[in-house]
Amino acid sequence: MSENKLAGQFFDAAIGLLQRVRDEEAGHIAAAGSLIAGTVADGGRLFVFGAGHSSLPAQDVVYRAGGLALINLLAVPGVVGLDVMPATLGSALERVNGLAGAVLDTSPAQPGDLLIVISLSGRNALPVEMAMNARALGLTVIGVTSPAYAEHTKSRHVSGTFLKDHCDLVIDNKIDIGDAELLAEGVEGAFGPASTVVTSALMQAVVAAAVGELVARGIDPPMLRSGNVDGGHEWNGRVMSEYGDRIFFRH
């Protein structure tokens, strides 16, 4: 078995998925950018949520150099990445009914805001309820998920529905069931998950689309700069001061 060969195969698989998302989801990505820009233009706030490893692409667009300053992480204790021990507890919490409602009720989210929910399978109670409750509160909901799971698995929500069923817009990240791209002799089962690579790139593409749409509307996008370049801290301070009522990660 050649390690270099397998490494190259993973890159090829990830590149192939990125190309599919770019080509097949271009319209949905543009639509997401338009929804985000419209929310910003109307004075709304932006939130993003993901549980477990789906939290990684969510966090990647929050307080990010070169990113929109207004995107806030909607954090649920115990499911943001691997922030509990044992790690399996995080997976269990994703299946708890009622947790999403409690989080939304105590969050700053309000009607007119926008929430992006990221969930690879979209089958667990937490992302399904997050989308359902957010829409009931008057938020626009964008779902980033793999609809393939709805074709071959059962929902873990009491309604029997998936994340994709409760969104104003769905973006398909094209990840197959199991999130493993490689097979190799001597290895039992598939390996090489690509969902984080692809979904993180997808999220950055959505942000880029939103920035372009804001410019097209004559709005100066509230962007953050790196604190490691001269003037970065001062620039970010001005942005956070101007948009302080819509930025919650600094409190």
Side-chain angles (χ1 to χ4, degrees), residues 14-90:
I15 291 169
L17 287 164
L18 287 167
Q19 290 174 332
R20 285 191 62 198
V21 171
R22 179 195 63 192
D23 297 340
E24 298 173 19
E25 295 299 301
H28 292 150
I29 290 171
S34 182
L35 288 173
I36 291 171
T39 302
V40 173
D42 292 340
R45 290 87 60 84
L46 308 173
F47 297 90
V48 61
F49 166 76
H53 285 92
S54 289
S55 179
L56 299 178
Q59 294 181 60
D60 194 47
V61 293
V62 177
Y63 187 51
R64 185 63 190 261
L68 277 173
L70 307 188
I71 302 178
N72 302 278
L73 183 68
L74 189 60
V76 178
V79 304
V80 181
L82 301 176
D83 61 340
V84 292
M85 293 291 288
T88 50
L89 176 58

Side-chain angles (χ1 to χ4, degrees), residues 131-237:
M132 291 176 65
N133 291 7
R135 290 184 85 187
L137 287 173
L139 277 72
T140 297
V141 177
I142 298 172
V144 179
T145 186
S146 172
Y149 276 83
E151 299 176 11
H152 303 286
T153 67
K154 292 183 179 180
S155 169
R156 291 188 175 123
H157 188 255
V158 292
S159 67
T161 60
F162 288 74
L163 168 62
K164 70 176 185 63
D165 300 315
H166 304 284
C167 299
D168 298 283
L169 175 69
V170 174
I171 306 177
D172 184 353
N173 60 12
K174 308 300 179 182
I175 302 298
D176 201 0
I177 294 176
D179 191 18
E181 299 299 322
L182 301 180
L183 293 170
E185 185 178 352
V187 181
E188 187 173 347
F191 59 101
S195 62
T196 303
V197 173
V198 174
T199 308
S200 292
L202 189 161
M203 289 297 297
Q204 292 297 345
V206 167
V207 171
V211 170
E213 181 65 24
L214 284 167
V215 172
R217 295 179 183 219
I219 299 171
D220 186 17
M223 310 298 296
L224 293 173
R225 293 183 179 180
S226 172
N228 295 315
V229 299
D230 292 342
H233 285 298
E234 293 77 12
W235 173 277
N236 292 342

